[in-house]
Amino acid sequence: MGFTLGIESTAHTFSFGLCDSSGHPQPSVSSFIRPEEGGIHPREAADHHVENSGALLKELLDKNNLTPEDFTAVAFSQGPGLGPCLRIGAAVARTLSQEWKVPLVGVNHCVAHIEVGREVCGCSDPVLLYVSGGNTQIIARLGGRYRILGETLDIGIGNMLDKFAREQGIPFPGGPRVETLAQEWIDANPDSRLSDYELPYAVQGMDLAFSGLLTAARHMVLKGKPLGAVCWSVQEHSFAACVEVAERALAHTGKTEVLLGGGVACNQRLRDMCSMMAGERSAQSFVPEKMYCVDNGSMIAILGRLQLLYGEDTELRQSAINQHLRTNETPILWS
Ligand code: ATP
Ligand code: FE2
């Protein structure tokens, strides 16, 4: 087995990545669309992906000193995600697989976030707190599947941060800027109390919700509270809710590792809260480097390699994308 190419195109990011024959990844080569205003328009994102795919692939090959002959498989995100975006990745993957005469393998994007974390952090059987723009799920492996133990009932946490930020004039992606504003606020006002900036805390059983918090945060700014304070409160409330469900998942499953994944896992405050929670339970907390938290082609390559090794390739007629693919639909055959 040589290198596996991975193609990621579920939403705003188009990315090529790779892993070697033992599953070790190299940094991906990516481009993402920043909407001028409003959210991501799926068709505009798809156009961006088409326009950038050729140059990005060349950059990946050049950077790693590889030629097409070095690849023995092509993997792509089959879902979940935005239809027009997924279709571009799938089309590029089918073309390369035919050109290079190597097997094609369609993978589950959410499962890829788990497998890249396991690979680069060296954990074995974690509870995954998967926090991205479109997804917020608490996942654990039980009986040959990654089961969704809890998830958001409305919008993803990253989506909530991006929407809140956008309304305050902060361009996409808003999460990193919200983090900076929150940090600056608490550094300058270390005696701030959350009770002065209270927002809805929506944990329902093992599930979460963020749209009520978004509305309340919006009102808080309109009422004149400082933006930094509201950013801080938004983070404290929403992260605490996620970490609480992750902790409950550890307790229910008896697992002793918690792994963070998805773009929001870049946030240092969330990382700290997660490791504090793990520390209190004598569990271990793991977080991949930022480049493996955000959407990246290398995670698709890692999962594609595993699926080929333990299962089979994806025939052309089965390679259609599935916008609504669920984390627990993919059989997990490896240990
Ligand atoms: P998915 O398809 O898995 O839902 P995605 O399309 O949202 O993924 P990701 O790259 O996983 O893409 O995540 C992007 C999200 O991560 C954006 O919402 C962005 O605001 C958020 N994000 C990135 N960095 C930070 C940060 N430091 N703090 C908070 N959120 C962040
Ligand atoms: Fe993602």
Side-chain angles (χ1 to χ4, degrees):
M1 207 175 186
F3 289 90
T4 303
L5 180 75
I7 304 174
E8 161 57 30
S9 74
T10 49
H12 54 274
T13 303
F14 193 86
S15 174
F16 286 106
L18 55 85
C19 70
D20 65 17
S21 57
S22 48
H24 184 71
Q26 289 298 322
S28 307
V29 170
S30 311
S31 167
F32 73 89
I33 179 166
R34 279 174 195 270
E36 296 273 309
E37 54 186 51
I40 312 172
H41 190 292
R43 261 176 231 295
E44 283 169 15
D47 287 346
H48 159 270
H49 297 352
V50 172
E51 282 156 21
N52 286 280
S53 60
L56 285 173
L57 179 58
K58 183 170 181 319
E59 193 183 331
L60 182 86
L61 297 181
D62 290 350
K63 262 194 181 154
N64 292 281
N65 238 330
L66 295 172
T67 65
E69 288 75 45
D70 295 310
F71 290 89
T72 50
V74 172
F76 70 101
S77 269
Q78 205 163 3
L82 305 172
C85 300
L86 285 167
R87 271 181 213 108
I88 304 303
V92 172
R94 288 185 202 109
T95 309
L96 291 176
S97 146
Q98 304 237 305
E99 276 277 309
W100 297 356
K101 300 187 174 49
V102 296
L104 175 71
V105 50
V107 312
N108 184 321
H109 175 92
C110 303
V111 174
H113 274 292
I114 310 176
E115 293 302 343
V116 69
R118 293 180 65 214
E119 170 65 32
V120 302
C121 297
C123 55
S124 65
D125 186 20
V127 162
L128 178 83
L129 178 51
Y130 169 33
V131 278
S132 66
N135 293 287
T136 304
Q137 298 181 340
I138 291 83
I139 301 165
R141 183 171 172 166
L142 299 162
R145 301 272 167 145
Y146 286 117
R147 312 278 172 189
I148 303 166
L149 304 180
E151 65 185 319
T152 179
L153 299 175
D154 45 41
I155 53 175
I157 185 168
N159 225 307
M160 180 272 290
L161 294 169
D162 294 337
K163 275 191 180 157
F164 173 71
R166 194 165 74 222
E167 289 162 7
Q168 310 308 323
I170 300 166
F172 177 87
R177 183 79 189 126
V178 170
E179 174 172 19
T180 307
L181 290 172
Q183 188 61 48
E184 286 172 0
W185 169 264
I186 201 64
D187 286 347
N189 304 277
D191 298 329
S192 294
R193 287 177 315 187
L194 269 185
S195 53
D196 293 335
Y197 305 99
E198 210 172 319
L199 292 170
Y201 179 80
V203 176
Q204 299 167 31
M206 292 291 284
D207 292 323
L208 302 151
F210 299 108
S211 63
L213 189 152
L214 173 61
T215 308
R218 189 182 287 150
H219 286 159
M220 205 177 262
V221 176
L222 286 175
K223 278 192 200 137
K225 299 267 187 187
L227 181 58
V230 182
C231 289
W232 171 66
S233 177
V234 163
Q235 285 200 167
E236 294 300 309
H237 282 88
S238 61
F239 294 171
C242 293
V243 172
E244 181 189 325
V245 178
E247 176 167 28
R248 227 178 281 159
L250 284 174
H252 287 329
T253 58
K255 296 187 195 287
T256 56
E257 298 170 330
V258 59
L259 172 66
L260 270 168
V264 182
C266 294
N267 189 292
Q268 191 57 45
R269 176 64 181 146
L270 178 62
R271 290 170 174 231
D272 292 345
M273 282 167 87
C274 219
S275 74
M276 238 181 294
M277 177 274 281
E280 281 166 12
R281 301 185 51 85
S282 308
Q284 267 184 298
S285 159
F286 299 87
V287 196
E289 285 169 73
K290 288 186 182 181
M291 66 177 166
Y292 294 124
C293 285
V294 296
D295 286 349
N296 66 93
S298 301
M299 70 182 191
I300 305 302
I302 289 173
L303 178 55
R305 172 189 163 274
L306 282 170
Q307 274 183 209
L308 271 181
L309 208 55
Y310 290 86
E312 50 195 26
D313 62 342
T314 304
E315 286 177 34
L316 265 189
R317 62 189 169 83
Q318 291 171 328
S319 69
I321 57 121
N322 178 355
Q323 293 183 61
H324 307 292
L325 187 62
R326 295 277 288 165
T327 306
N328 54 9
E329 279 180 64
T330 301
I332 308 301
L333 305 170
W334 47 90
S335 55

